[in-house]
Every structure is written in structure tokens, then in C-alpha cells.
Amino acid sequence: MIYADNAATTRLDSKAFEAMKPFLLDSYANPSQPYGFSRESKKAIKDAREDIASCIGAASNEIYFTSCGSESDNWAIKMMSGERGTIVTSVIEHHAVLNSCRAMEKLGHEVNYIPVDPSGLIKLEILNAAIKDNTQLVSVMFANNEIGTIQPVKEISDIAHKHNCLFHTDAVQALGHIPVNVHELGIDMMSASAHKFNGPKGIGFLYIKNGVKIPSFIDGGGQEKGLRAGTENVPSIVGMAKALKENCTHMEENKEWLFALENQLINGLLQTGIDFIRNGSENRIPGNVSLSFKKIEGELLLHRLDLMGICVSTGSACDGKKAQISHVIKAINVPEEYAKGTIRISLGKDNSAEDIGLIVKALQKIICPIAYK
Ligand code: PLP
């Protein structure tokens, strides 16, 4: 099996797994209890919070654990729009942001969805013009999950702050893959998810800058400073911190490796003579390769590749049985004859040059007899 769907989820880092084990089997105490047995879980959470904070240039009391990236996005969007304040976001956000915005619209809030250019970048002058006097929140993703495009985050936060708005970014695809420093970038809130950087599934965090006032998302006990109740998922918190530290330590070498694999993939495909477009901007998340092939269905490619033991994803969301072109592929205006043939190959640090050779051969075997018959 060749796994090339790392933007969907990643394999758990073995060091993260080892770090989690004691908190599953031995130190399983509820960290909120006052007795000595809970001391280790309490300390593990404190250490994890500090480690995560140091990876993103934050203070440890600015990290709030959540159950996933979607929860972090929901919290930031649904709790921050205040009294009928408007929200400005982009058309290519993940559905965790888009559907949270739709929920806010139902409550009477106005949401302004700004367009992107063909490489998936928002235009700063459009953002600037979209912000109104009553805009409270600007939410633009750090990097796109389908096409990998990295937004000019510092410039976006500068514009948001110039208008006295808060700036939230969904960094689920960026964190652990490219440098992220919340203070240098002027980020007020940032969503993250462990399973996208070789941590466990079902754990994430929301960075909330000190001084930003946000209502609680889950009411209950006093966990996470009373803002996000629920007994802490200690093993996963520990695993998330370890995985993030590992990824940040090896970021440069991982990036180089992934760029080498991407080049091999693109050059290999070019040599086959297959007609395709590569989507996204020049500045992309390492390993994210979105390709649109002419005269072929992405769904068909995905299933044929699956039969050959290769896992990729389509750029399309499935609506029942009808394959649709995704909102991102539509937003970047991929020409119609290519748009339906979009797949996302997202490479990870465990992929090899041999994997790439096999992916190219498989695509050639599938596409050439169909598109060039
Ligand atoms: N935001 C982005 C950009 C994503 O890619 C994803 C997952 O694909 C999410 C949010 C949701 O993260 P989670 O799966 O942890 O809820």
C-alpha cells in the first residue's frame, strides 16, 4: 500500500506513541483531582502546553486544548462575532469554518466571503475593502487543504488590526509543516489539529492570544480556564505535543525531502505526456500536490488507484453518488475540462522515491488508455 493522503491524516509518530503509553495504562488519573496520583497527569498537561507554546512562539496560558481542528474553528467563529458583528472570510476555507459562518448567518450575522485568484491567494485590497465598521472577525486559513496555497498571513493580520478586527487563522494544514510564530505573524486565534502533524486523532487546540476575550465553548467543569470544559484527554495531549516537537525539529529536512518527491512526481508525469495542470500558488505546503487531469474523472482515478493499492483523494466532495467539483477547485477557476479530473496527492515524510515511481506508472497506466485512446 502506498499512502499519499497525508493532508487527510498522518501516521502517528512512533515517539509520540511511546510518550502516550504511560498515560493510557499507568498514569490514568483525572488531572483535576487533588491526590498525588493525579500529579503526573497534571504535570504532563502543563509540560505539553509549554512545549506546544514554544513551537508556535506563544505563552503556555494561550493554548486551549480541544477535540479537533473543527472544534477549534467552530469556537473561534461562533463565539467571536459579538453583537451582530460581521465576519470576513475567504471562499476556500475548510467546511469547519464555512459551515460555522453559515450557522452565524442563520443567527443574523453578516458574513462576507472574499474570492481568491487562480492560485488560491486572497487579494489584500479586496480584504481591506470587505471589512466594515462593524466587522469583528477576519478568518482566513493559513494554508489550504486541497491545493496547499499559503496565504500572506502577516499582511492579512495587519489589515485586520488596522480596522480593529480580530484575526483568526485555521492553521490545521500548516502547523508542523512550515514555521508558524503567532506573535510575529500577529495572530489572535489559531486552530490546530494533531492528526495532521503525526499526532493522534481527536485532539487539537485553539491558540487564543492573551487579552482576547472569548466566551466559553463547552460549559461544565473549570478545565481550560473555564472556557472549554471536559476531562482532559491526557494521552492525546501528550502525543500531540511530542509529535509537534518532532515535526518542528525535523521541519527543514522534511521540507527538502517532500519538495524532492514533488519534483520527481511532476517531472515523471511530464515525461509521460499526460495533459494536466498543477493547482495552487508557488508557495505551498510541502507535499501537497493537487493535479487536474484533462478528459478524465477524479473519482475514477481515485478508485483505480485504490485498486492498485494507492491512497489519494479527489478535489471533489461527494454529494451522495454525484461527484461534484469542490468549492476550492471552482473558486480558483480550473478550466472545466480539467476540473472534474482533480486529485490531491499529499505526500508525507514516510513516502519514498520508489512510491513516486509507482504512482507515476499507475497514473500512466490508468490515464493513457482512457484519455488518449
Ligand atoms: N481545517 C482544515 C484546513 C483541514 O484540512 C481540516 C481537516 O481536514 C480541518 C480544519 C478539520 O480538522 P479535524 O479533522 O481535526 O476536525
Side-chain angles (χ1 to χ4, degrees):
M1 198 264 288
I2 296 174
Y3 185 74
D5 198 17
N6 288 274
T9 198
T10 53
R11 185 170 197 260
L12 182 64
D13 183 279
S14 55
K15 287 190 184 151
F17 178 55
E18 289 305 321
M20 291 170 72
K21 272 200 230 163
F23 297 95
L24 289 160
L25 295 173
D26 305 320
S27 302
Y28 53 82
N30 186 322
S32 297
Q33 291 301 78
Y35 39 71
F37 181 39
S38 74
R39 208 171 291 137
E40 266 193 71
S41 346
K42 222 177 271 166
K43 182 172 179 320
I45 293 181
K46 182 174 172 284
D47 291 348
R49 219 186 285 280
E50 281 168 8
D51 285 346
I52 290 171
S54 77
C55 288
I56 64 165
S60 64
N61 66 353
E62 296 175 312
I63 307 296
Y64 295 79
F65 296 121
T66 63
S67 68
C68 58
S70 300
E71 182 187 327
S72 305
D73 284 339
N74 272 256
W75 188 3
I77 303 286
K78 291 181 176 170
M79 297 293 126
M80 272 326 291
S81 39
E83 278 290 302
R84 306 251 151 177
T86 69
I87 303 169
V88 175
T89 189
S90 85
V91 290
I92 60 161
E93 298 296 309
H94 187 271
H95 282 108
V97 167
L98 288 179
N99 289 342
S100 295
C101 286
R102 303 243 151 83
M104 297 312 288
E105 283 181 290
K106 283 192 189 140
L107 294 175
H109 296 266
E110 194 184 318
V111 183
N112 199 340
Y113 302 88
I114 57 170
V116 292
D117 72 11
S119 64
L121 287 167
I122 66 158
K123 284 225 159 57
L124 296 174
E125 58 276 18
I126 296 181
L127 171 68
N128 193 43
I131 300 175
K132 297 183 186 169
D133 288 347
N134 67 344
T135 303
Q136 274 189 284
L137 183 68
V138 170
S139 179
V140 176
M141 68 200 317
F142 208 120
N144 184 266
N145 44 307
E146 288 191 33
I147 55 173
T149 296
I150 299 170
Q151 300 291 345
V153 172
K154 175 74 175 99
E155 286 83 346
I156 296 171
S157 79
D158 284 346
I159 292 173
H161 294 150
K162 187 180 84 183
H163 292 275
N164 292 321
C165 299
L166 288 169
F167 173 55
H168 164 253
T169 188
D170 173 338
V172 166
Q173 292 289 335
L175 196 62
H177 304 285
I178 54 170
V180 172
N181 184 304
V182 287
H183 286 171
E184 282 172 11
L185 294 169
I187 296 168
D188 298 310
M189 290 183 289
M190 183 178 85
S191 303
S193 176
H195 73 105
K196 307 287 185 176
F197 53 79
N198 305 94
K201 293 167 184 57
I203 189 78
F205 68 88
L206 180 66
Y207 157 79
I208 307 173
K209 189 180 170 177
N210 280 334
V212 170
K213 300 258 173 296
I214 185 165
S216 70
F217 193 55
I218 299 184
D219 297 314
Q223 294 93 346
E224 302 304 295
K225 294 196 260 168
L227 295 182
R228 198 281 184 185
T231 302
E232 297 89 339
N233 183 347
V234 185
S236 295
I237 289 171
V238 169
M240 170 162 67
K242 186 72 184 166
L244 184 58
K245 256 178 92 173
E246 279 300 305
N247 267 25
C248 289
T249 307
H250 300 287
M251 195 175 276
E252 261 316 295
E253 69 208 66
N254 288 343
K255 190 178 88 183
E256 271 175 35
W257 178 239
L258 291 171
F259 282 154
L261 293 182
E262 284 183 21
N263 285 339
Q264 188 193 340
L265 176 62
I266 298 299
N267 291 334
L269 285 173
L270 287 172
Q271 276 168 23
T272 63
I274 293 173
D275 193 343
F276 70 95
I277 298 170
R278 180 167 186 192
N279 302 310
S281 65
E282 284 299 309
N283 189 19
R284 299 186 197 86
I285 288 297
N288 186 313
V289 184
S290 167
L291 304 170
S292 295
F293 295 95
K294 194 174 179 181
K295 282 200 199 161
I296 195 142
E297 298 274 332
E299 284 294 311
L300 181 138
L301 280 179
L302 182 145
H303 293 302
R304 292 270 180 102
L305 287 170
D306 183 28
L307 290 175
M308 295 165 144
I310 300 171
C311 308
V312 301
S313 73
T314 55
S316 63
C318 276
D319 173 19
K321 285 202 172 97
K322 206 167 128 240
Q324 290 192 330
I325 297 168
S326 86
H327 66 293
V328 177
I329 297 303
K330 273 189 194 149
I332 61 170
N333 277 324
V334 175
E336 218 183 312
E337 64 225 290
Y338 291 86
K340 277 191 196 150
T342 303
I343 58 168
R344 179 189 65 190
I345 299 173
S346 47
L347 306 167
K349 58 186 179 182
D350 295 334
N351 282 117
S352 64
E354 196 192 349
D355 291 347
I356 304 299
L358 291 169
I359 294 173
V360 172
K361 267 200 194 129
L363 284 168
Q364 188 176 18
K365 211 166 163 186
I366 301 165
I367 295 172
C368 291
I370 299 174
Y372 305 107
K373 64 177 178 284

